[in-house]
Amino acid sequence: MSPSTLRQPRFIQMHGQERAAVRAELAAGLIAPQAIISPKYLYDALGSRLFDAITELPEYYPTRTEAALFKEHAPALAALLPPHATLVDLGAGNCEKAARLFGWLQPARYVAVDISVDFLQSSLSCLQRQYPALDMLGLGMDFSAALTLPPEAGEGARVLFYPGSSIGNFTPAQAVHFLRQARAAAQGGGLLIGVDLVKPVEILEPAYDDALGVTAAFNKNLLLHLNRLIGSDFRVQDWAHQAYFNATLSRIEMHLRAVRDVSVHWPGAQRQFRMSERIHTENSYKYRGADFDALLRQAGFSQTTVWQDPQGWFAVFWAHG
Ligand code: AVJ
């Protein structure tokens, strides 16, 4: 094939929030009595790479447990999922997980969606070279508020792929809302989704507070991202990583805790944090299989199939109908 006939992925940058709206949302979160920042701001270019490193950690069981499930149950999945559909990868990141489905799913088109469009461009261009015949589209969009795919994502049945248990970043009520939108966006296809399950706290907590300190770096990097977004003067060394399982709400919570009294300034405002005051940066909900199945049905899916690893640590659901 001559270089001129090589297919190139197309990229569409969806209109997100205006910069001023992002700044207003972040500032409001910072001055709230219990300071809070959305976990989506963990994923700047460095944050996306640190997350990739997290998935390699011995303590971080979700990625490898899910990968083993997809590998072991590929024949069953191949028999159930519609062939030649559009594969929509939600939160594609490095696109690696979806590429492992290409062999048995035989998608007609691959649509990679991610909030970090720079990261997406390099990984999708690399993937296009490996699969020159596949029609690929990169979508830079934040689907956490609304999952409305543009017409360029194609007509006909879609397989929405939402692996890695990112659904855990939503509260259960928000998750139902998201799942309802996913069902509509599937256009008669379905949703293939990874869900992290409740397990002993001795397994859960180290997965979010690893010995190497990669998750701590991932969490603290949020401050550097914030400094660029709102012009604040956070110093990484003023903050400590904190992660624990909140059993009442069945979620891992990540926080940044001030290690001394800290004052932070940015154009238009400032905030004093007393020592041990915290910024809440992420929730990662853990489900019981039956409870997540109920959420899928609440969202309108009538058919669900689930696969779990022998230890019951992680689940993959195929939901349609
Ligand atoms: C990408 C949301 C699935 O909750 O396990 C990993 C993010 N945070 N370590 C998760 C994360 C800290 C991850 N998700």
Side-chain angles (χ1 to χ4, degrees):
M1 218 188 278
S2 75
S4 60
T5 60
L6 275 179
R7 206 189 274 259
Q8 286 299 318
R10 289 175 299 153
F11 289 95
I12 300 176
Q13 176 67 61
M14 303 291 281
H15 283 296
Q17 278 170 294
E18 297 294 330
R19 286 186 71 87
V22 169
R23 278 199 289 264
E25 179 197 310
L26 291 169
L30 282 179
I31 61 174
Q34 164 60 76
I36 182 160
I37 297 293
S38 163
K40 68 189 179 201
Y41 296 105
L42 291 164
Y43 301 92
D44 62 351
L46 178 56
S48 296
R49 284 176 171 82
L50 287 168
F51 178 70
D52 265 4
I54 287 174
T55 67
E56 309 267 335
L57 293 169
E59 297 96 331
Y60 195 74
Y61 60 84
T63 311
R64 66 183 124 80
T65 310
E66 183 185 54
L69 285 172
F70 281 127
K71 198 171 172 192
E72 185 180 348
H73 300 290
L77 286 160
L80 274 174
L81 271 63
H84 314 301
T86 294
L87 176 61
V88 181
D89 191 355
L90 298 172
N94 63 18
C95 305
E96 243 176 50
K97 287 183 186 178
R100 280 188 238 127
L101 313 184
F102 289 172
W104 56 262
L105 187 61
Q106 298 288 311
R109 174 187 287 123
Y110 175 56
V111 179
V113 187
D114 204 281
I115 190 171
S116 180
V117 72
D118 298 338
F119 198 64
L120 196 58
Q121 285 194 348
S122 53
S123 37
L124 203 56
S125 301
C126 171
L127 207 57
Q128 183 78 83
R129 279 191 289 278
Q130 291 170 53
Y131 299 89
L134 188 59
D135 181 19
M136 294 190 183
L137 172 68
L139 274 182
M141 76 178 247
D142 170 16
F143 55 83
S144 64
L147 176 60
T148 319
L149 299 175
E152 288 87 344
E155 291 172 1
R158 296 169 177 159
V159 170
L160 268 68
F161 182 49
Y162 197 36
S165 138
S166 290
I167 190 79
N169 279 163
F170 294 113
T171 65
Q174 290 168 336
V176 171
H177 176 71
F178 175 83
L179 293 170
R180 207 169 272 136
Q181 294 182 86
R183 183 172 173 273
Q187 299 182 155
L191 171 69
L192 184 62
I193 184 170
V195 182
D196 199 13
L197 302 176
V198 179
K199 62 183 64 60
V201 71
E202 297 75 27
I203 306 295
L204 276 173
E205 287 183 342
Y208 292 84
D209 195 3
D210 59 284
L212 273 178
V214 182
T215 308
F218 173 67
N219 196 11
K220 291 178 201 174
N221 175 60
L222 178 72
L223 300 172
L224 299 179
H225 192 200
L226 275 179
N227 284 349
R228 290 200 311 279
L229 287 170
I230 65 168
S232 50
D233 57 358
F234 280 103
R235 297 188 321 159
V236 167
Q237 59 269 34
D238 290 339
W239 300 86
H241 169 66
Q242 193 182 29
Y244 59 85
F245 187 58
N246 178 333
T248 313
L249 295 172
S250 196
R251 68 190 195 192
I252 288 279
E253 295 184 12
M254 287 210 317
H255 300 264
L256 289 161
R257 184 174 46 80
V259 297
R260 56 186 73 84
D261 292 349
V262 174
S263 40
V264 181
H265 316 83
W266 62 94
Q270 59 167 325
R271 160 110 195 223
Q272 262 71 246
F273 293 90
R274 272 169 291 110
M275 188 167 85
S276 298
E277 262 196 283
R278 303 185 303 177
I279 305 172
H280 189 175
T281 55
E282 187 175 43
N283 292 320
S284 189
Y285 281 82
K286 308 302 168 192
Y287 287 96
R288 281 170 226 288
D291 293 344
F292 196 80
D293 191 84
L295 290 194
L296 287 167
R297 287 168 191 280
Q298 233 180 296
F301 290 104
S302 60
Q303 313 281 325
T304 59
T305 311
V306 62
W307 296 269
Q308 285 185 22
D309 60 292
Q311 298 184 102
W313 283 4
F314 202 90
V316 168
F317 285 84
W318 166 244
H320 65 114

